[in-house]
Amino acid sequence: MTVTDHLNALYRLPAHTFPGPGGRTDDLPDPEAVAWRVTSDVYDADEDWTKAFARFCSAVDTTRVRALIIGAWQEAYDTDPSDVIEALVAARDRFPALRAVFLGDMVGEECEISWINQSDVTPILAAFPALEEFGVRGGSGLAFPAVSHRALRRLVIETGGLPAEVVRGVGGSDLPELVHLDLWLGTPEYGGDSEVADLAPILSGARLPSLRHLALRNSENQDAVAAAVASAPVVARLEVLDLSMGVLTDEGAAALLGGQPLTHLKKLDLHYHYLSESLQERVRRTVETAGVEVDLDRDDAEEDSDDDGTPWRYVAVGE
């Protein structure tokens, strides 16, 4: 499965794409009313992302912009966004109201998620200390060394394979206001080389005192993740636990149900899974009857098998 839709909102604001070259700029929405999507046309070599951004800064009162979606840059399958990040950081004084940034809002026809080249994205956090939401798509070349950020409330990293160093960087970060953490762990085939031990600082919750929504999903090792979550201290304070989109089988779900109680949650999201009907019913009896909203939609999860019957199972998003 591939990412087929652009973001439709950010920071609770509807997404609005800034017009391309030659597009009308005399009837734009109020700067603070939308999440602005600035992108380059991947089929037009005449304007790269930094030029599109310069046009945006000339046409829009950036002092009132609250959310910015960074779309495709030229040849993202071969070029990292260093110039994009440098341009945004250089313009930081022009964006005093900016509270949300998403980097790499691309769909399959622009660049498959696991082909998107990334780089160290933390200069954006350093440049915008008031930022409350930050998201990034693409794990190839992605770096996220441990940071300290006093305002960030939501962090989303979407990949077909999340490098272990990034997982450790997030876990080592000081993020006292973070409420929502969403990591797409992916598969080794696309660079997702993290192990459960790399998640330990996150699962302890020691550096994340405000965390209420934890998503560790799209993992080839979802069973092992679920088993670790079963005894994780952070779970006791969560409202939403999301282990969806990965290769979750009866083994992982049974380990999860055999651990600490989950009946305090508002929602348990396990959609896109490989659970038997009997295990799904056990999940429902254990948590849904206690008033927890449970998502057990199997979605597009389908098994293949070798000639000898060995099953092949896939994460939801791999390329």
Side-chain angles (χ1 to χ4, degrees), residues 31-32 34 36 56 60-68 95-99:
E32 68 272 20
V34 299
W36 292 94
F56 170 75
V60 175
D61 181 359
T62 59
T63 64
R64 297 161 58 195
V65 170
R66 296 193 291 165
L68 182 64
F95 288 85
L98 191 64
R99 296 295 179 268

Side-chain angles (χ1 to χ4, degrees), residues 108-124:
E109 57 263 32
E110 293 170 316
C111 191
E112 295 285 359
I113 185 171
S114 295
W115 302 354
I116 299 173
N117 273 272
Q118 286 289 356
S119 61
D120 184 353
V121 297
T122 57
I124 295 175

